[in-house]
Amino acid sequence: MNATPTVPDTCSTTEAAQRLGMAVRSVQLMVDRGELQAWKTPGGHRRILRSSLDAWLAGRGGAAMAPAAPATAAASGNRPLTLLLIEDSVHFQNLISLVVKRELPEAELHVASDGIAGLAMAGRLEPDVLLIDILLPGIDGAALITSLRSHPQFARSRLIVITALDEAQRAPYAFALAGVPLVHKTALVTDLPPLLAQATAALAELPA
């Protein structure tokens, strides 16, 4: 007699997303909000308790949703790719907004004009991509970058530094800029698009 297969007590974020008919990012946010109970493997992968998934479904009518095909953010109800630009120059705010809109038309771009407001917005939005100027009113951009890089809340966020400083002028900030993609303001139109593409590709490869 064949033994009845044992159903695991947990499932992956992808499996939960398929069962709920949602995008993986939506399920991750549900875990972050405490709507689903989960734990992480040593490799950083979420494992969601099926009991909490069943309880959530029961509260929504008791039936599992059919698996959904990939859809746009608006159609699926999923949060769009979220970017936060921290830049005090209105001119460069507008220029970067145009580049982002052209390269990532479905993305949502938020703008802060100083470091203090930017830090507060980053904590509220938990953006997927952060674009930060080094020289900012309210807080030193290098200190802001260092703070964001060391905070677990932003471990998944991709950083892109924007600056008008040349290499010699950036030397005092080398400790904060190590390993961070950087684009000079004179080359935004040509150099920012590939950096945005790299950031979104890196986000897609992060463990669920």
Side-chain angles (χ1 to χ4, degrees):
M1 181 181 297
N2 294 330
T4 302
T6 301
V7 178
D9 293 329
T10 63
C11 64
S12 69
T13 309
T14 300
E15 291 171 328
Q18 291 173 346
R19 187 175 176 193
L20 295 172
M22 296 181 178
V24 171
R25 177 60 178 166
S26 295
V27 176
Q28 292 169 351
L29 291 172
M30 291 172 70
V31 171
D32 293 341
R33 291 193 297 264
E35 295 174 17
L36 295 174
Q37 296 179 21
W39 53 276
K40 283 189 177 182
T41 67
H45 297 275
R46 286 182 174 89
R47 289 292 178 264
I48 297 172
L49 292 178
R50 291 186 185 275
S51 58
S52 70
L53 185 61
D54 292 339
W56 191 91
L57 285 168
R60 293 299 178 102
M65 301 178 188
T72 63
S76 67
N78 181 34
R79 174 182 112 151
L81 183 74
T82 303
L83 294 85
L84 173 60
L85 169 63
I86 308 176
E87 165 63 62
D88 61 314
S89 165
V90 174
H91 169 72
F92 285 109
Q93 287 176 3
N94 293 335
L95 179 58
I96 293 167
S97 296
L98 289 172
V99 174
V100 170
K101 189 172 295 184
R102 184 188 68 192
E103 300 298 321
L104 302 169
E106 294 186 5
E108 187 176 276
L109 177 66
H110 300 262
V111 180
S113 296
D114 64 73
I116 298 298
L119 189 58
M121 288 179 69
R124 176 169 58 85
L125 295 169
E126 295 188 20
D128 300 299
V129 181
L130 279 154
L131 302 107
I132 305 175
D133 190 4
I134 296 176
L135 300 179
L136 290 167
I139 188 172
D140 178 67
L144 175 61
I145 292 165
T146 301
S147 175
L148 291 171
R149 293 182 74 182
S150 63
H151 201 293
Q153 183 180 9
F154 305 108
R156 297 177 66 87
S157 299
R158 304 295 95 183
L159 286 173
I160 299 174
V161 170
I162 298 165
T163 184
L165 302 179
D166 61 28
E167 188 172 355
Q169 293 170 323
R170 295 196 301 267
Y173 307 105
F175 68 96
L177 302 179
V180 180
L182 183 145
V183 56
H184 198 275
K185 288 185 176 181
T186 59
L188 276 170
V189 174
T190 57
D191 291 0
L192 183 56
L195 292 181
L196 290 173
Q198 291 172 17
T200 53
L203 287 164
E205 293 175 359
L206 288 175

